[in-house]
Amino acid sequence: MNILGISALYHDSAAALVCDGKIIAAASEERFTRKKADPSVPVNAITFCLEKLEKGKKVDCVVYYDNPLLTLDRWLENCIAVSPRNEKIIAKSFQSMYGSKLWIHELVKSLKGDALKEVDKFYVCEHHMSHAASAFYPSPYEEAAILTMDGVGEWATTTIGRGTGKQIEILEQISYPHSLGLLYSAFTYFCGFKVNFGEYKLMGLAPYGKPIYADFIREKLVDIQEDGSFQLHLEYFTFLDQEVMTGEKFEELFGMRRRLPEERITADYMDLAASIQEVTEEIVLKMAAHARKITGCRNLVMAGGIALNCVANGKLLEQNIFDGLWIQPAAGDAGGALGSALYASYQLSDSQRIVGVKDSQEGSYLGPAYSSEEIGAFLTENGYVYHRYEKENLFEQIAEYLAEDKVVGLLDGRMEFGPRALGGRSIIANPVSEKMQTKLNLKIKYRESFRPFAPAVLRERVGDYFEMNEESPYMLLVAPVKEELRKQEDGYQAEERGTDFDMLAIIRKKRSEIPAVTHVDYSARVQTVDWERNPFFYQVIQAFEKKTGCGVVVNTSFNVRGEPIVCTPQDAYLCFMRTEMDVLVMEDFILLKEEQQALKDDEDWRDQYELD
């Protein structure tokens, strides 16, 4: 069976194609439309997936990742519960609830394309089952406990389940409005970041603070039980009846006003970030321990937005609650498209699940790719200056540029599925440079200076640089930098902050032998790179190690703030030219900034992107 999975009409719309249980393609709509977290019906992503069908084949069924009727039920119950304060809710979402979401099957039927013309089977898969399926089926485990945590699906916000072979069973559930995802998003909003965009910024800010409000949060905002279950004190939140997460009562509780976007980040907000991060980690760890207890499984798989909190994931790994841990790379709503397709594939067909040593996510390189011929034609047609290299010389040349502290944009192979760039659409740089983190943030990414960058390390060398030996191919685990690589005299202590605290001065300190990827608490969000998943990226790092002795490079997503990760060669070239990036590598082509002509009539390019 050829099954098309779709997530749409909330945020992070995506499409995925699964054929007889095998993942063929998956991509987010934002990469094609260039609209961050595009919620629309993923027409372009669907078109891409259908192009990957075998010639002459048709789609057997389409599966939507959410049950619109159950979501409508929750919406109605919410409106009734907050009446008469429900005008804003109704005004904002009445049309979508009774219109597009209930009729998603008709919207898909209306799409043009021969592969969909004869489809007469449309199914829905409950939101958290989609998450659970996306986590379990691609994992390398025959049996595993399943933990899903996010803002909200239909009613569920958290589930614990068990996967065995082809079967998934949900055992326990926490329901709306009690949600760890919404709790974390409330602090994201209060600290001046955008909900559904800025949660990772809050996580990155946390190490600058002290968790002095953690007990206060436990006392006033959330009751946490030993099994990890929890209840929010709803009187302090406004998400039930307003379009924002917090209001005056939240401000009065903490004795401070909400930080406005782009305002200076003071110590108070750093401490709030540290505090909610500690509380989040506590809930995740307790819930994981409870999942082990009730399932008896030795392995754990995770999905949902909270599974992207790689700091909590790192703490979970340290605790050794489970023998194995696998996290869906596209853990958010986009991954629901994949999960719903996989669930349908294993429930509706005779597809047999084959479990191997590695997962079946294919490195999450599931998006479009562009051949050397296509890239060469694009460059020639536009008159761009380029140099083409034989592969044996290409990696050595890239390593030379990195060693010279040049910032390199990299487009190779299939685009990644999920929010992390994993070497297919990456910006890479020298991790040994003390100035690289600031340069990348301020001159390349145009984003907040405090945000850390991830190291991509050769799989066999991970234990030489970080306090971990496990593989982390999807950049979803945080681990400490090895003690012997640290510069202890330059350590950061939040207790030392004064009224004139200078965050940039802290950032610029050389905290380790690989300062550009070492956060202020000596942690790093690690990506291990192996030959099997990405031989191109592996050879880039291998060549850099041969030249410098360092088996690590900086890896960040190929985009600027407010823009989705690049997809096409044209996207990559525009991003390259609009920033202070030095070098662009697309397959076996290398472009140098100083050899390019300036873009014409492009001064207002940032106006098309919403700064998040």
Side-chain angles (χ1 to χ4, degrees):
M1 292 186 71
N2 300 309
I3 299 177
L4 181 70
I6 296 173
S7 65
L9 306 180
Y10 292 90
H11 56 84
D12 298 327
S13 293
L17 178 66
V18 172
C19 300
D20 296 327
K22 180 176 174 57
I23 304 170
I24 303 300
S28 295
E29 184 69 1
E30 67 167 20
R31 307 295 176 85
F32 303 96
T33 63
R34 313 310 299 154
K35 298 176 183 177
K36 188 110 173 188
D38 191 340
S40 62
V41 175
V43 177
N44 297 281
I46 289 171
T47 300
F48 158 69
C49 287
L50 296 182
E51 289 171 353
K52 293 298 180 181
L53 273 172
E54 289 185 23
K55 190 173 182 180
K57 298 290 186 180
K58 303 287 185 181
V59 172
D60 294 290
C61 70
V62 177
V63 190
Y64 185 57
Y65 83 128
D66 192 272
N67 187 327
L69 289 173
L70 289 179
T71 301
L72 177 60
D73 177 58
R74 187 249 303 161
W75 183 82
L76 288 169
E77 291 283 356
N78 191 99
C79 287
I80 293 168
V82 301
S83 180
R85 307 184 316 276
N86 55 17
E87 295 89 348
K88 290 183 179 180
I89 298 175
I90 294 173
K92 178 185 179 184
S93 49
F94 181 88
Q95 180 60 41
S96 64
M97 281 295 171
Y98 282 94
S100 54
K101 291 174 183 175
L102 279 181
W103 301 98
I104 180 64
H105 58 296
E106 294 294 341
L107 291 174
V108 174
K109 279 184 180 180
S110 69
L111 299 179
K112 296 179 180 179
D114 292 340
L116 290 178
K117 278 184 177 179
E118 299 176 11
V119 176
D120 59 0
K121 294 184 175 67
F122 290 82
Y123 299 99
V124 296
C125 183
E126 288 192 22
H127 188 100
H128 274 259
M129 181 58 81
S130 296
H131 279 321
S134 77
F136 177 61
Y137 288 129
S139 78
Y141 311 130
E142 175 67 24
E143 182 180 60
I146 306 170
L147 180 58
T148 69
M149 309 176 80
D150 66 3
V152 62
E154 298 89 358
W155 277 101
T157 67
T158 301
T159 68
I160 294 175
R162 180 196 296 113
T164 305
K166 293 171 56 175
Q167 302 305 314
I168 293 176
E169 179 184 11
I170 302 299
L171 304 174
E172 294 185 1
Q173 171 179 314
I174 297 174
S175 297
Y176 178 87
H178 304 289
S179 164
L180 181 56
L182 292 178
L183 175 64
Y184 202 86
S185 291
F187 280 86
T188 300
Y189 172 79
F190 193 76
C191 290
F193 306 121
K194 191 172 182 179
V195 173
N196 293 327
F197 289 86
E199 283 76 9
Y200 56 93
K201 299 181 184 181
L202 193 72
M203 182 181 66
L205 183 62
Y208 291 93
K210 299 175 289 183
I212 60 175
Y213 296 107
D215 287 339
F216 190 66
I217 292 171
R218 296 181 184 102
E219 176 189 351
K220 297 293 185 181
L221 293 181
V222 57
D223 289 326
I224 306 170
Q225 304 303 313
E226 279 307 306
D227 63 358
S229 61
F230 55 87
Q231 281 196 317
L232 302 185
H233 297 180
L234 297 171
E235 64 268 27
Y236 293 106
F237 302 93
T238 58
F239 58 76
L240 280 82
D241 61 346
Q242 297 184 36
E243 295 183 33
V244 296
M245 302 298 295
T246 64
E248 291 182 7
K249 201 162 186 178
F250 201 93
E251 293 184 342
E252 292 170 0
L253 182 65
F254 287 99
M256 66 180 87
R257 66 172 179 83
R258 173 185 172 245
R259 173 183 168 265
L260 297 178
E262 309 305 320
E263 281 188 335
R264 181 174 177 267
I265 302 174
T266 62
D268 290 331
Y269 300 104
M270 298 175 196
D271 293 340
L272 284 173
S275 300
I276 190 58
Q277 180 64 33
E278 180 180 291
V279 171
T280 299
E281 291 166 10
E282 177 188 352
I283 293 172
V284 170
L285 291 174
K286 285 184 174 180
M287 198 158 288
H290 181 62
R292 174 68 192 256
K293 181 179 178 180
I294 66 172
T295 65
C297 296
R298 296 185 298 107
N299 302 306
L300 175 69
V301 297
M302 297 173 65
I306 292 294
L308 293 173
N309 192 308
C310 51
V311 178
N313 297 341
K315 297 289 177 64
L316 183 55
L317 187 69
E318 288 177 8
Q319 292 293 313
N320 292 315
I321 298 170
F322 291 90
D323 297 343
L325 174 64
W326 194 84
I327 304 159
Q328 167 55 235
D333 271 20
L338 176 60
S340 62
L342 285 167
Y343 186 75
S345 183
Y346 286 114
Q347 300 307 311
L348 300 177
S349 74
D350 295 328
S351 300
Q352 294 302 308
R353 184 165 174 258
I354 300 173
V355 178
V357 177
K358 293 186 182 296
D359 61 71
S360 61
Q361 187 88 5
E362 303 291 342
S364 218
Y365 304 109
L366 301 171
Y370 299 88
S371 67
S372 291
E373 289 71 24
E374 289 173 310
I375 293 171
F378 163 76
L379 295 174
T380 301
E381 181 180 337
N382 287 281
Y384 300 144
V385 180
Y386 63 84
H387 305 272
R388 191 168 189 177
Y389 286 80
E390 297 294 333
K391 284 293 173 71
E392 56 265 26
N393 301 320
L394 176 67
F395 303 111
E396 182 180 351
Q397 184 60 66
I398 297 171
E400 179 69 34
Y401 289 134
L402 292 172
E404 294 172 356
D405 284 355
K406 295 186 184 299
V407 178
V408 178
L410 183 62
L411 183 148
D412 167 71
R414 297 185 71 173
M415 180 178 69
E416 302 90 338
F417 182 52
R420 311 296 187 209
L422 303 171
R425 303 292 186 276
S426 289
I427 296 172
I428 58 175
N430 185 356
V432 179
S433 171
E434 297 177 43
K435 299 178 181 179
M436 191 56 69
Q437 181 180 355
T438 302
K439 178 181 178 180
L440 285 170
N441 271 327
L442 300 182
K443 296 187 175 184
I444 309 297
K445 302 283 282 186
Y446 301 127
R447 68 184 199 181
E448 299 90 345
S449 60
F450 68 85
R451 290 168 58 185
F453 289 98
V457 57
L458 297 174
R459 170 66 185 95
E460 63 271 21
R461 296 293 309 278
V462 63
D464 297 332
Y465 293 94
F466 308 101
E467 297 291 350
M468 65 178 293
N469 289 303
E470 294 81 4
E471 70 169 12
S472 178
Y474 303 117
M475 206 185 286
L476 286 169
L477 296 171
V478 162
V481 173
K482 295 280 282 189
E483 190 88 23
E484 56 266 32
L485 298 180
R486 301 179 189 178
K487 300 290 184 180
Q488 295 291 356
E489 66 274 13
D490 288 336
Y492 166 72
Q493 298 295 326
E495 290 78 4
E496 298 175 3
R497 296 174 311 191
T499 54
D500 296 326
F501 173 66
D502 183 0
M503 186 179 285
L504 274 179
I506 297 298
I507 292 168
R508 288 170 176 154
K509 284 190 175 183
K510 185 177 181 179
R511 292 177 295 281
S512 78
E513 294 299 323
I514 43 175
V517 295
T518 304
H519 207 10
V520 291
D521 59 351
Y522 296 111
S523 67
R525 176 161 48 94
V526 179
Q527 178 197 1
T528 56
V529 181
D530 57 69
W531 178 276
E532 291 78 14
R533 290 186 176 94
N534 193 330
F536 189 99
F537 197 28
Y538 183 88
Q539 289 177 88
V540 169
I541 305 174
Q542 194 177 50
F544 182 70
E545 182 184 42
K546 183 178 179 181
K547 180 168 289 292
T548 66
C550 181
V552 178
V553 298
V554 178
N555 180 16
T556 188
S557 56
F558 197 155
N559 65 322
V560 296
R561 181 184 176 197
E563 177 196 29
I565 295 173
V566 303
C567 175
T568 67
Q570 181 179 13
D571 298 336
Y573 186 81
L574 288 175
C575 187
F576 167 61
M577 292 300 296
R578 289 165 171 170
T579 67
E580 296 184 42
M581 213 178 304
D582 303 297
V583 180
L584 174 60
V585 178
M586 295 194 287
E587 293 296 337
D588 48 357
F589 296 90
I590 292 182
L591 288 77
L592 304 179
K593 175 63 66 63
E594 64 266 21
E595 295 179 347
Q596 310 303 314
Q597 292 186 359
L599 294 176
K600 297 178 181 178
D601 303 322
D602 197 51
E603 293 83 0
D604 300 325
W605 64 271
R606 267 184 278 189
D607 292 344
Q608 67 184 293
Y609 300 119
E610 181 180 0
L611 294 184
D612 48 51

